[in-house]
Amino acid sequence: QEGEPIYLAVKGVVFDVTSGKEFYGKGAPYNALVGKDSTRGVAKMSLDPADLTHDITGLTEEELKSLDDIFNNVYKAKYPIVGYTSRRILNEDGSPNLDFKPEDQPHFNIKDEF
């Protein structure tokens, strides 16, 4: 919706990409990535609906390196972190993941919910 924030997740980290609405907004080239964890699509540089998932199973070493580069040099460098997906902060049984470490970004402060 016009005027609403635009969020996308990569590696379980939710970014506010609203400032890049020409890339991520309605009708924009990367709009397929928003509203979900699109880690696999980012790694493969793919907008195929089958790749718009958090699952990185079977990615090549080159794709994993590309993912890390884009995650750090584009998303973390350019867009504010607004949260995390449940897969990032919870274990499969729903209990808190005590090994969870928030991303280092100076303007983000996670609440201690646990």
Side-chain angles (χ1 to χ4, degrees):
Q1 298 246 345
E2 191 65 36
E4 295 292 321
I6 304 168
Y7 296 152
L8 76 80
V10 178
K11 294 174 65 171
V13 180
V14 181
F15 294 95
D16 182 341
V17 297
T18 307
S19 65
K21 68 181 171 190
E22 66 274 12
F23 302 109
Y24 301 102
K26 188 173 185 170
Y30 302 120
N31 180 258
L33 298 172
V34 305
K36 61 185 79 61
D37 189 327
S38 296
T39 300
R40 184 179 196 84
V42 170
K44 295 179 64 111
M45 296 186 184
S46 169
L47 298 175
D48 182 327
D51 289 328
L52 301 179
T53 176
H54 69 279
D55 188 6
I56 59 170
T57 305
L59 291 180
T60 67
E61 195 172 312
E62 185 177 309
E63 289 168 334
L64 291 171
K65 183 180 180 335
S66 174
L67 173 62
D68 285 341
D69 288 346
I70 294 168
F71 178 77
N72 288 309
N73 300 322
V74 176
Y75 291 108
K76 275 183 66 175
K78 197 170 182 180
Y79 300 108
I81 295 171
V82 294
Y84 295 90
T85 64
S86 61
R87 290 183 187 282
R88 181 82 185 253
I89 61 175
L90 300 175
N91 295 316
E92 284 188 30
D93 66 1
S95 64
N97 175 2
L98 300 178
D99 294 325
F100 169 72
K101 304 267 187 302
E103 294 298 316
D104 180 26
Q105 197 180 48
H107 55 275
F108 182 73
N109 185 10
I110 191 165
K111 295 178 184 174
D112 186 7
E113 299 288 343
F114 303 122

